Amino acid sequence: MTACNTAARETAARDTDPPLLQRTPLYALHVARGAKLVPFAGYEMPVQYATGVLKEHLHTRTAAGLFDVSHMGQIVLRPKSGRVEDAARALERLVPQDILGLPAGRQRYAFFTNDAGGLLDDLMVTNAGDHLFLIVNAACKDADEAHLRAHVTDLCEVERLDERALIALQGPQAAAVLARLSPAAAAMRFMDVAPHDVGGIACLISRSGYTGEDGFEISVPAAEVEALATALLTEPEVWPIGLGARDSLRLEAGLCLYGHDIDTTTTPAEAGLAWAIQKVRRLGGARAGGFPGADAILPQLAQRAPVSRRRVGLKPEGRAPVREGAKLFADAEAGEPVGTVTSGGFGPSVNAPIAMGYLPPAQAADGTTVFAEVRGQRLPLRVAAMPFVPHSYQR
Amino acid sequence: MTTLFTEDHEWLRIEGDVATIGITNYAQEQLGDVVFLELPKVGRTLKKGEAAAVVESVKAASDVYAPITGEVVEVNEALTAEPSQINTDAAGSWLFKLRIADKAELDGLMDEAAYTAHTA
């Protein structure tokens, strides 16, 4: 059992080595609730609690789960002019999204691009009325901040909100639970963002998440997050959920994990993220281009330039999970690999193994059979539409 | 009947010249929810330390190594249909049985008291 030995060694190392990992303000709560903590993006994070990944996953799909995502970066772009349009104009230099057209109180999925048309990070952008509010990935937050400072400081102040925590309440019962503590917040619709008091604590709430379920993400001062999390966990529907279930939930929902399914080498068209680039920034749009890599990205979206690969959903035909890194082949026996699995595992709600990866357009049509190499054997998988579990956003 | 343990968190029940092998409760706790199991073929001779089976949890795939040298005489096919049994009853969920090639290899294994100390 190699994995066990590794775990034992890591535990031993944690006991003796000087602390190198950061902790979120909910660290004590995680420990008290029996979390198994693992290093993730420089933080000591709960991968699961006592009940385990499978039950946590299923509970989130049927009731409600509370996730600590305080490791993620929260960044404010404050326009020096006081006009939010100036911050939007500045951010549009770095992302291919329509930020100027994002109404106050609304949120949008976005990504920072590089000159080759690849992705530096994906993020959520909120028009908070007089400023923009960004949520970025933990592993990228320092680089993202530097990137913003290098390109928008003529028009905006860039403020990292490191004194704020972030929690997500996800699942079909999330709205009913939140309504008890904050009736107004529960009346929001998908991708709305607004300040609300929750049990007397001032929060910034969005109706969004990373599970495919209805739910909320709640930004809250670090000093108050433990009281808020405890209040939410007191509600009978709510369980604390670790990163393990967060990963299987987002995979079933067909959502990309940065650094795995998308990275500096994947373009939006390859990654199946064309939907996230609004018309106004595309060829022929009023504000076409003007972001890094537009020359590579926009012709692909207009189908004037070919893509060499596409992100696809994959369903192994057997029960064996096919994991990240597995090479994909067009043929059961011969040939060179044609693609790679970028995320894969067991989908508890699908009750079967699921994966996503990249394949050439010739193999990327739904229903195509490809083969993954697992422990020296080629296992058949079928290209399948995503999401694997339907989204249930409250639009 | 003697039960022995390996440092790699496997248990062996010794009955005559046959060893029945599974993973320990400590191992299943570390692995988490088991969702897939791959067992060796009956008739295959495994060398001590060779990868014999694969236990996959929602989190990762882990090899189970042959704790001793021997020929596979039986595998627990029923368990492959219900791999989560390992989580509910690790001590009762055997994976495969080996005909022991060299009883001297058993001397290097731990008894229950030693294993308990090993995982403490």
Side-chain angles (χ1 to χ4, degrees):
Chain A
M1 305 298 299
T2 38
C4 304
N5 288 341
T6 309
R9 271 199 303 276
E10 280 170 6
T11 308
R14 264 209 302 279
D15 290 345
T16 52
D17 291 354
L20 298 167
L21 295 169
Q22 299 189 70
R23 292 171 175 177
T24 77
L26 289 177
Y27 176 82
L29 183 146
H30 300 318
V31 171
R33 290 185 174 256
K36 192 177 288 184
L37 295 153
V38 298
F40 182 83
Y43 284 78
E44 216 171 343
M45 297 298 289
V47 67
Q48 63 165 84
Y49 297 83
T51 45
V53 176
L54 203 73
K55 289 194 180 77
E56 289 172 24
H57 176 115
L58 295 171
H59 187 82
T60 305
R61 288 257 186 264
T62 53
L66 187 72
F67 302 75
D68 179 15
V69 283
S70 301
H71 57 313
M72 298 186 80
Q74 303 184 53
I75 298 175
V76 162
L77 297 187
R78 200 172 294 284
K80 290 178 175 171
S81 65
R83 292 188 306 267
V84 73
E85 309 87 84
D86 289 331
R89 206 165 279 123
L91 184 58
E92 284 196 358
R93 297 170 184 163
L94 301 179
V95 304
Q97 278 71 34
D98 175 12
I99 306 300
L100 269 167
L102 181 65
R106 295 288 290 167
Q107 187 176 53
R108 175 162 281 168
Y109 178 70
F111 29 80
F112 293 120
T113 54
N114 66 20
D115 289 335
L119 306 178
L120 295 170
D121 193 10
D122 61 345
L123 66 152
M124 298 301 292
V125 179
T126 292
N127 178 346
D130 61 356
H131 65 272
L132 297 178
F133 175 61
L134 278 45
I135 296 180
V136 302
N137 282 302
C140 301
K141 63 186 178 183
D142 292 336
D144 290 345
E145 182 190 0
H147 188 52
L148 287 163
R149 286 195 189 284
H151 293 101
V152 305
T153 41
D154 58 330
L155 292 174
C156 312
E157 306 289 351
V158 178
E159 302 166 16
R160 264 273 285 274
L161 303 184
D162 285 341
E163 76 295 351
R164 286 186 82 86
L166 189 69
I167 55 177
L169 181 68
Q170 300 280 298
Q173 303 292 318
V177 166
L178 194 60
R180 282 174 223 143
L181 301 168
S182 180
M188 300 165 70
R189 62 192 175 97
F190 184 57
M191 295 292 216
D192 278 350
V193 184
H196 288 289
D197 272 21
V198 183
I201 298 167
C203 302
L204 184 68
I205 304 183
S206 71
R207 191 157 195 169
S208 57
Y210 192 48
T211 59
E213 297 297 321
D214 181 26
F216 303 86
E217 290 193 343
I218 307 172
S219 170
V220 54
E224 295 180 279
V225 69
E226 190 163 0
L228 177 61
T230 303
L232 289 167
L233 288 168
T234 304
E235 300 298 318
E237 298 93 335
V238 184
W239 288 9
I241 310 293
L243 291 180
R246 184 170 162 84
D247 191 50
S248 55
L249 287 158
R250 70 91 197 166
L251 177 58
E252 282 186 342
L255 301 172
C256 292
L257 176 59
Y258 188 80
H260 300 258
D261 309 303
I262 49 174
D263 60 26
T264 53
T265 71
T266 55
T267 67
E270 289 171 354
L273 297 174
W275 60 269
I277 302 180
Q278 290 74 27
K279 236 176 163 172
V280 70
R281 304 297 309 276
R282 297 190 187 204
L283 293 177
R287 294 194 312 286
F291 54 86
D295 292 347
I297 291 169
L298 295 182
Q300 284 186 347
L301 294 187
Q303 278 148 33
R304 291 182 200 169
V307 295
S308 59
R309 54 179 182 166
R310 288 190 185 282
R311 184 172 63 93
V312 296
L314 296 162
K315 278 192 157 176
E317 290 183 2
R319 294 294 292 175
V322 176
R323 302 199 184 257
E324 178 177 359
K327 295 273 176 273
L328 294 169
F329 297 83
D331 191 276
E333 274 140 39
E336 293 295 304
V338 294
T340 310
V341 169
T342 52
S343 284
F346 184 78
S349 301
V350 178
N351 190 28
I354 50 170
M356 60 171 92
Y358 282 85
L359 284 170
Q363 273 90 32
D366 287 354
T368 308
T369 298
V370 294
F371 299 85
E373 200 162 83
V374 177
R375 295 183 286 273
Q377 283 181 296
R378 290 197 188 174
L379 307 179
L381 307 86
R382 217 177 276 273
V383 176
M386 290 191 285
F388 298 104
V389 169
H391 296 159
S392 45
Y393 304 140
Q394 297 298 302
R395 291 179 195 278
Chain B
M1 189 180 74
T2 323
T3 303
L4 298 171
F5 298 86
T6 71
E7 287 191 349
D8 291 339
H9 310 287
E10 290 136 7
W11 56 256
L12 296 82
R13 271 201 312 268
I14 312 298
E15 290 164 281
D17 64 347
V18 173
T20 303
I21 292 154
I23 68 168
T24 65
N25 190 56
Y26 177 89
Q28 73 78 17
E29 279 178 3
Q30 297 296 311
L31 285 173
D33 308 291
V34 176
V35 294
F36 178 75
L37 200 58
E38 194 173 283
L39 298 175
K41 288 210 164 45
V42 172
R44 185 176 152 198
T45 296
L46 294 167
K47 283 206 171 61
K48 181 183 174 182
E50 195 178 342
V54 177
V55 179
E56 293 215 25
S57 72
V58 285
K59 285 181 280 186
S62 299
D63 285 318
V64 178
Y65 298 107
I68 54 171
T69 302
E71 183 195 338
V72 180
V73 291
E74 200 181 341
V75 299
N76 191 353
E77 282 298 342
L79 194 61
T80 60
E82 275 307 323
S84 63
Q85 283 281 327
I86 293 177
N87 296 115
T88 43
D89 181 16
S93 300
W94 64 279
L95 303 178
F96 55 93
K97 297 185 182 184
L98 290 181
R99 190 174 312 282
I100 304 166
D102 176 7
K103 286 225 167 186
E105 283 184 354
L106 300 177
D107 296 344
L109 303 177
M110 289 178 273
D111 64 11
E112 183 151 16
Y115 179 70
T116 306
H118 173 68
T119 53

